[in-house]
Amino acid sequence: FPVTSQRQAALKMILLKSGQDRWIRTASLSSLGPETAEVMKQIATDSQADSAAVSMILPELADAVARSIQDDAGFEPLRSTVAALDREPQLQIRVLQSALNANRSLAAMTSWQELTAALITKARTRLADSSATAEQRAAAVRTLSLSSWSQEKDLLLSAIDDVQNPPLQLEALDTIV
């Protein structure tokens, strides 16, 4: 079928309404083709979309989009999707981890390095912020998984200190492992 806005809208709707069914999700994702990046951006910015569906669909869309990224010029859809998820740092990280697992060459791209450096800097600040909620601090720890052990060792080890709350400790342990 040719690429059309109606077809794209229909596949987006199917993903959002029935995307939790793995067979429907697989069929829809395989039908997207060159529309995948645009649908991913639309779903990330759709304030009416069910958050559970979005949380399940976006990492898979990021995987598909990442497989086609060959240089910094192709990175824009992933960057704009992550930017749209600014209020959902856990999902941002899942999207980025999924993309990196699909295409390891992303890590060498300037766009990837700039994006992850900004997220890591923000996470370090959030982790040090005593007014941040436990959930926000746990999300910050998860973001550190985009960095290296040698750079984040002190922060991660301080997050598992016995004075920290258990959810933060668990997130730190999960990030370390």
Side-chain angles (χ1 to χ4, degrees):
F1 293 101
V3 175
T4 66
S5 59
Q6 291 172 320
R7 180 175 170 274
Q8 182 176 317
L11 288 168
K12 175 188 168 194
M13 182 188 71
I14 291 168
L15 280 168
L16 288 173
K17 291 190 184 249
S18 304
Q20 292 184 348
D21 179 299
R22 68 183 173 123
W23 296 109
I24 291 176
R25 190 171 61 251
T26 300
S28 299
L29 289 170
S30 66
S31 297
L32 281 170
E35 301 162 301
T36 306
E38 184 58 33
V39 170
M40 179 179 70
K41 290 190 306 185
Q42 288 175 6
I43 289 174
T45 58
D46 188 341
S47 61
Q48 303 299 315
D50 175 59
S51 62
V54 170
S55 181
M56 180 172 286
I57 295 163
L58 281 180
E60 290 193 39
L61 287 168
D63 176 289
V65 169
R67 291 175 191 278
S68 66
I69 298 173
Q70 297 177 0
D71 55 28
D72 283 309
F75 194 78
E76 176 52 30
L78 194 55
R79 189 209 58 74
S80 61
T81 296
V82 169
L85 299 172
D86 190 50
R87 292 188 173 163
E88 299 182 58
Q90 295 279 23
L91 185 53
Q92 279 181 322
I93 301 313
R94 288 186 48 228
V95 164
L96 287 171
Q97 288 171 335
S98 181
L100 186 60
N101 287 337
N103 184 351
R104 291 286 178 191
S105 67
L106 291 176
M109 294 181 189
T110 302
S111 297
W112 175 271
Q113 293 167 359
E114 290 171 354
L115 176 61
T116 57
L119 292 172
I120 290 165
T121 299
K122 186 176 176 181
R124 288 178 186 139
T125 302
R126 177 63 50 90
L127 194 53
D129 181 2
S130 60
S131 67
T133 66
E135 183 178 285
Q136 291 170 328
R137 293 182 76 222
V141 166
R142 174 57 72 188
T143 303
L144 297 179
S145 70
L146 298 171
S147 187
S148 67
W149 168 253
S150 62
Q151 290 181 307
E152 309 306 336
K153 178 174 76 172
D154 293 339
L155 279 174
L156 290 169
L157 291 175
S158 70
I160 60 173
D161 190 282
D162 61 359
V163 298
Q164 301 294 346
N165 65 34
L168 182 64
Q169 292 172 329
L170 289 172
E171 196 66 51
L173 287 170
D174 193 37
T175 300
I176 291 169
V177 177

